[in-house]
Amino acid sequence: MKNIGFLSFGHWSSSAYSQVRSGSDALIQSIELAEAVEDLGADGAYFRVHHFAQQLASPFPLLAAVGARTKRIEIGTAVIDMRYENPLYMAEDAGAADLIAGGRLQLGISRGSPEQVIDGFRYFGYQPSEGETDADMARQHTEMGFAEPNPTPMFPNPPGLLRPEPHSPGLRDRIWWGAGSRATAQWAAEQGLNMMSSTLMTEDTGVPFHELQAEQIRLFRDAWTAAGHEREPRVSVSRSIFALVDDRDRAYFGRGNQEADHVGYLDAQTKAIFGRSYAAEPDELVKDLAKDTAIQAADTLLLTAPNQLGVEYNAHAIESILKYVAPDLGWR
């Protein structure tokens, strides 16, 4: 069995082909898609966070709305760039969204990747301290803290430091780190964070992407065990997977599988390997996906949603995986 959800970047544009024309469309259709996939029996609705772009950004109003309109599925982020975040304010927002959803929030966070604006986090009021990198700053923002209470009689505080409220019990165990390398996967395990591994890694060892990612997952789990954490960690991977079952599928993705990984650069300094995508008839997909060692090693699979194709098509694409592919792989 495997948890299967979708991951949407929430793009919108005025292009003729887009069914998502505005920020309002992106938000409302995100809620509608979450409702649709819950009805289909999927397990999660996840959203990527980008800034200064025509994509989903501030996630917590959306997550709260999805949580209020659904009953069962996990709702999450994959991921929030912590370079832009006030950790205490974020803890309040996340706690509120999780309480509205009844404890279904899966909070995916990370150091982030290159964005639309150079060092965009500086416009949000954050910059690394002298001698530190933006990655260091992201990890510092991840260490959510407590505050010294006001000792005056006006505030009858309990003893000790105060935490951000509202507090949602159990949310701490549902925080994930988006790891783009083997080293960051081990760091996440040491911190007691679940791991999200995406469709790219910022290192290239000459082996196929799925094998490198499977090694990353193994190193994460080994580091988790060595750290002595008591609970079982969770691991997700993201993939673009489309079953060709009707004429629309063939029109959009009928060129077939992207059979090779790609190596490129995220920016001038950061080399990355990008995993392949999958598009084929269901029986061929089953054969191909059975060879993807990283998918097999993960407990959660996030299907990247081409959200500009609209709610109805994306629900169909996800249903096709659930109905025609997942059972033959033992995921359902």
Side-chain angles (χ1 to χ4, degrees):
M1 300 294 289
K2 197 176 296 291
N3 290 307
I4 301 175
F6 73 83
L7 169 59
S8 175
F9 283 44
H11 294 276
W12 71 86
S13 78
S14 58
S15 300
Y17 69 84
S18 177
Q19 295 190 35
V20 187
R21 315 285 288 186
S22 66
S24 174
D25 288 344
L27 290 163
I28 291 170
Q29 291 188 30
S30 293
I31 298 168
E32 293 172 346
L33 182 57
E35 292 179 293
V37 300
E38 179 171 76
D39 291 341
L40 293 172
D43 304 303
Y46 288 75
F47 304 96
R48 181 69 163 94
V49 176
H50 281 284
H51 301 288
F52 301 106
Q54 290 186 337
Q55 297 175 238
L56 294 173
S58 57
F60 295 108
L62 173 60
L63 292 169
V66 173
R69 293 268 289 269
T70 57
K71 295 286 191 283
R72 178 187 57 80
I73 57 171
E74 297 176 343
I75 61 173
T77 52
V79 289
I80 297 173
D81 188 333
M82 290 303 295
R83 296 174 299 175
Y84 289 77
E85 295 296 322
N86 178 312
L88 297 182
Y89 196 175
M90 179 177 168
E92 292 180 346
D93 282 347
D98 193 39
L99 290 170
I100 290 170
R104 292 182 282 129
L105 177 60
Q106 305 292 330
L107 185 60
I109 60 178
S110 187
R111 165 249 186 263
S113 60
E115 293 273 341
Q116 200 86 359
V117 172
I118 296 173
D119 290 346
F121 48 84
R122 298 182 188 275
Y123 296 92
F124 277 54
Y126 303 111
Q127 59 182 2
S129 300
E130 186 176 351
E132 294 181 335
T133 67
D134 57 336
D136 296 329
M137 181 177 68
R139 290 178 175 84
Q140 291 168 5
H141 286 184
T142 302
E143 299 170 357
M144 299 178 182
F146 296 82
E148 190 74 30
N150 190 332
T152 67
M154 184 183 300
F155 301 101
N157 289 317
L161 300 177
L162 301 182
R163 68 191 179 196
E165 299 287 355
H167 172 69
S168 184
L171 179 56
R172 173 61 181 84
D173 290 342
R174 286 179 275 117
I175 301 176
W176 305 58
W177 186 260
S181 67
R182 292 167 294 176
T184 52
Q186 292 171 302
W187 176 86
E190 292 163 0
Q191 308 308 308
L193 303 172
N194 304 301
M195 185 179 74
M196 289 180 164
S197 192
S198 185
T199 53
L200 64 87
M201 290 184 66
T202 56
E203 52 187 343
D204 178 19
T205 64
V207 303
F209 174 81
H210 71 95
E211 293 181 10
L212 178 60
Q213 196 174 43
E215 181 187 2
Q216 180 197 41
I217 294 171
R218 178 183 60 77
L219 291 171
F220 168 79
R221 290 197 168 119
D222 289 347
W224 184 279
T225 300
H229 303 303
E230 294 183 1
R231 66 178 178 86
E232 278 293 311
R234 291 185 61 184
V235 174
S236 74
V237 296
S238 303
R239 291 289 188 275
S240 295
I241 305 173
F242 299 97
L244 306 182
V245 300
D246 67 16
D247 289 341
R248 289 178 302 170
D249 302 324
R250 296 181 186 95
Y252 287 137
F253 304 105
R255 288 173 296 176
N257 284 333
Q258 178 195 69
E259 297 185 356
D261 302 328
H262 292 278
V263 177
Y265 286 85
L266 292 177
D267 55 31
Q269 293 81 35
T270 308
K271 186 178 181 181
I273 180 171
F274 300 82
R276 59 172 293 187
S277 60
Y278 297 88
E281 303 290 330
D283 57 340
E284 290 299 317
L285 274 185
V286 170
K287 294 176 185 176
D288 289 341
L289 293 171
K291 301 173 186 176
D292 192 314
T293 55
I295 293 180
Q296 302 309 320
D299 60 80
T300 300
L301 172 63
L302 301 182
L303 303 170
T304 56
N307 72 289
Q308 289 189 82
L309 296 181
V311 173
E312 191 275 333
Y313 180 76
N314 276 280
H316 156 77
I318 293 166
E319 182 181 27
S320 296
I321 300 300
L322 296 174
K323 185 175 181 179
Y324 300 115
V325 178
D328 288 347
L329 287 163
W331 300 347
R332 282 293 187 272

